[in-house]
Amino acid sequence: MGYGICGCNKNSLEYILKSKGQGNAACIAVGGALEALEAHPAHFTLNLAHKKGFIKSAIRTGASIVPVFSFGENEVYTQVSNPVGSRVRRLQMFLTTYLGFSPPLFHGRGVFNYTFGFLPYRRPITTVVGEPLEVKQNPDPSNEEINELHIRYVSALQNLFEANKKEFGVSEFHHLKFI
């Protein structure tokens, strides 16, 4: 695909990480479509607790994993309230099953007003990048290896968030929530 964009599946990921020697990188929004349904201002819910495919691919290829978090992403739009079990969420889950992506119901600002529209609110988004987690290559990783690296990654991501949240206006009482 143009500009190096490709599907987010095991074969594509491992092709990118193995082709043309070292120095290749793959950027993945690990939370996927369902994480978008949790994106509300001042909420930090990540769909990561059971996402381990990228961990397995990293071990199979020996690629380092770098924790990254963007502060402010959830503040650029306001999403309609959609608690788990609500009609809105059930409709979103139904559509996600058949469309392959989650259709969040959101609004931002307008062109000539600031109260309603589909343009994003003018809020900064700042991405912070953590230290790479070195990964020992194993073409056939065990569940124990996968779980250990997943725990290291989640911990590194939590530490990155906690170390930077105050600088970007997040209350000390807010923490990452993993589902």
Side-chain angles (χ1 to χ4, degrees), residues 48-75:
L48 185 62
H50 304 288
K51 301 281 187 167
K52 297 182 182 176
F54 74 104
I55 299 286
K56 186 174 184 177
S57 290
I59 296 171
R60 289 169 52 114
T61 61
S64 298
I65 298 179
V66 181
V68 175
F69 189 85
S70 292
F71 289 91
E73 280 185 326
N74 292 354
E75 273 59 51

Side-chain angles (χ1 to χ4, degrees), residues 58-59 62-67 131-137 148-149 152:
I59 296 171
S64 298
I65 298 179
V66 181
E131 293 292 322
L133 301 176
E134 296 299 321
V135 177
K136 182 180 175 193
Q137 186 173 4
E148 185 270 329
L149 183 55
R152 280 179 50 209

